Amino acid sequence: MKSLSVGSTIRRYRRQKGDRSVASVAGLCGITPRYLHLIEEGKKVPSLDVLDRIAAVLDVPPAALLAGE
């Protein structure tokens, strides 16, 4: 199985959760939509705090975002 980046895993979970928009997830996480977009594109790496907030909004364990499966 191909390993996915943290950003593409976040995107996949975001879309699975009712195809939530970048803006709505970013707003709930307290980050800008641009920053979330850059994370999803693999151009930025989120801090552990931001990763925890994204996981909470997407209702998945943070480890699921790191696993990339």
Side-chain angles (χ1 to χ4, degrees), residues 27-58:
L28 292 169
C29 292
I31 61 175
T32 65
R34 177 76 178 142
Y35 183 51
L36 181 54
H37 176 76
L38 290 172
I39 292 169
E40 289 188 356
E41 291 293 314
K43 295 177 181 172
K44 293 284 183 182
V45 177
S47 67
L48 289 178
D49 177 56
V50 170
L51 190 70
D52 281 342
R53 288 186 271 159
I54 292 170
V57 168
L58 297 177

Side-chain angles (χ1 to χ4, degrees), residues 8-22:
S8 60
T9 303
I10 290 170
R11 179 185 295 127
R12 181 172 49 87
Y13 276 111
R14 180 176 58 78
R15 289 178 175 169
Q16 285 176 354
K17 301 291 179 172
D19 203 20
R20 297 175 74 175
S21 72
V22 169

